[in-house]
Amino acid sequence: DVNFRDINIIFSYGSEVAPVSQSQTSIIRNVNLKNINVDGNYQIAGFISDDVRTSKSNINLTNITVKGGSVLGGMSGWVSSSVYNMDYNIIGDNIKIVEKWTNDNHQYSGGIYGYGGRAKYVTVKNSNIAGDSNVGGIFGYMDQYELTNFTVSNTTITGRGNYIGGISSYLNQVDYATVDNCKIYGVEDAQYVGGLGGSSRYINRYLKVTNSTIENVGKNTGGMFGIVTDTTINTSIVYNTSVTGANNVGGMVGDAGTFSGSSHIQNSIVNAYVTATNSNAGGLTGYLANKNTTETLNTKTYNNNLILRSAVSAPTNAGGMIGQADKELIISHFDKNYLDVNLTVTNQNGKH
C-alpha cells in the first residue's frame, strides 16, 4: 500500500516524466495518488511513464494533471509488452490531460493510458482529456483485445486530429463499455470521432452511449464509432445523444467500413439526434461501403435493431437507417429493423 500526495514534477522538455519513471515490477496493488501535477514533453504520466509488464490493481487517481506533447496518460504513459499484464479496478477522478503545444503532430492522450494498456474494470469521471490524434477517455490507443467493463462519465474529450473516442481512439473486441453525460469534440482537422471510439474492429458487445454530445468538424462521426472495419456491434444502445459532423454521420456508426471486409449491427437501439452539415446522415450509419458486397462476401448486415424517437438531418442524403450506400442493398442482409425517425433534408435538391 502506497500513497502519493501533493507532488509537482516539472521538466518541460523532458521524456519519461512521472512519479515513477519506469516500472518493471510484476505486480503493483493498492496505490492512491492525489494532487499530482506532471509537466514534460514525451511519455508523461500521473503514475508510471514507462510501464513494462506490470499488472496493477486497486489504483485510485484523484486530481491528476498531466501536461506534455505526446504519449500522455493519467496513470501510465507508454505500456510496453501489454499482452503480458492485466490491470484491474482503476479509478480516475478529475483527470486533466493537457496538450501543451498545438503546432506539431502529437499522438496518444488518454485519461488512464497514453499508448497501450490491458485492463478490466476501469472508471474515469469528472475529467478533461485533450490531444491531437488518438485521444480517448481511458486509452489514447488500445492495442489489446478481449477487454471489459469500462466507464467514462461527466468528461470532456477533445481531439484535433484523427481518431477521437469516449473510451479510446480504437476499440478492439470490447464488452461492457459505457459513456454517459460526456462531450466528445473533434476540432480543427479532426476525422473519425465516436462516442466510444474513433475506429473499431472485431466483436463489440453490451456498449452504451447515453446523454452525450458528439460534435466533429470533419467527416466520419458516429454515436459509437467514427468508422468500423470487420466489426460486429451487438446488444448495444445509443440513447438521448446528439451526433453532429460534416460528412458520414450516423446514430451508431459514421462510416461502415471499407469496400472489403464485413460489418454487422445486431440487436441494438438508437435514440439520437443525427446531423450532417454537408451530406450522408443515417439513423444507424452515415455511409455504407457496400460496393463489393455480395450475398456471402464482404457482407454488411443490420438485423433486429430499433431506431426510436430519433431525428436525422442533412442537406442531402438523409436516411432513417443509412445515409448513403454505394449500391442497392441486399434485402436479405437487413431484417427486422424498426424505424421511428423524423427525416429532414435541408437542401431542396437533396435526397432522402
Side-chain angles (χ1 to χ4, degrees), residues 195-257:
L196 289 172
S199 178
S200 177
R201 292 191 72 182
Y202 306 123
I203 298 173
N204 298 280
R205 303 176 299 176
Y206 315 120
L207 312 176
K208 292 194 291 185
V209 177
T210 56
N211 309 310
S212 293
T213 298
I214 302 152
E215 295 182 0
N216 180 22
V217 298
K219 66 179 182 179
N220 301 331
T221 310
M224 287 201 169
F225 302 111
I227 188 169
V228 296
T229 304
D230 288 322
T231 297
T232 295
I233 300 170
N234 199 344
T235 318
S236 297
I237 184 169
V238 175
Y239 177 77
N240 191 34
T241 289
S242 173
V243 187
T244 303
N247 299 300
N248 307 338
V249 185
M252 196 156 279
V253 172
D255 184 340

Side-chain angles (χ1 to χ4, degrees), residues 61-136:
L61 304 123
T62 306
N63 303 335
I64 309 294
T65 299
V66 173
K67 298 179 181 179
S70 294
V71 194
L72 314 177
M75 181 178 73
S76 299
W78 188 284
V79 182
S80 305
S81 305
S82 54
V83 69
Y84 296 100
N85 52 276
M86 178 69 80
D87 296 340
Y88 296 88
N89 301 326
I90 313 298
I91 299 175
D93 187 358
N94 192 27
I95 307 294
K96 292 183 176 66
I97 306 297
V98 181
E99 183 194 24
K100 292 198 299 184
W101 299 289
T102 59
N103 58 345
D104 294 316
N105 182 24
H106 296 127
Q107 296 192 74
Y108 312 127
S109 296
I112 300 297
Y113 306 94
Y115 182 94
R118 192 162 182 251
K120 297 181 179 182
Y121 302 99
V122 180
T123 297
V124 170
K125 55 187 177 180
N126 309 317
S127 296
N128 197 315
I129 317 298
D132 189 348
S133 294
N134 295 295
V135 181

Side-chain angles (χ1 to χ4, degrees), residues 7-45:
I7 296 173
N8 287 285
I9 305 173
I10 300 175
F11 186 17
S12 293
Y13 294 94
S15 298
E16 296 189 15
V17 183
V20 177
S21 179
Q22 185 182 87
S23 173
Q24 298 190 38
T25 303
S26 59
I27 297 174
I28 296 176
R29 299 192 187 102
N30 306 324
V31 178
N32 298 299
L33 299 102
K34 188 173 184 179
N35 303 330
I36 310 294
N37 179 43
V38 185
D39 187 328
N41 179 26
Y42 176 78
Q43 217 164 295
I44 314 302

Side-chain angles (χ1 to χ4, degrees), residues 270-296:
V270 170
N271 165 235
Y273 308 92
V274 180
T275 303
T277 58
N278 193 352
S279 64
N280 305 344
L284 278 181
T285 297
Y287 170 60
L288 185 71
N290 66 338
K291 179 179 179 180
N292 295 328
T293 294
T294 69
E295 287 281 357
T296 57

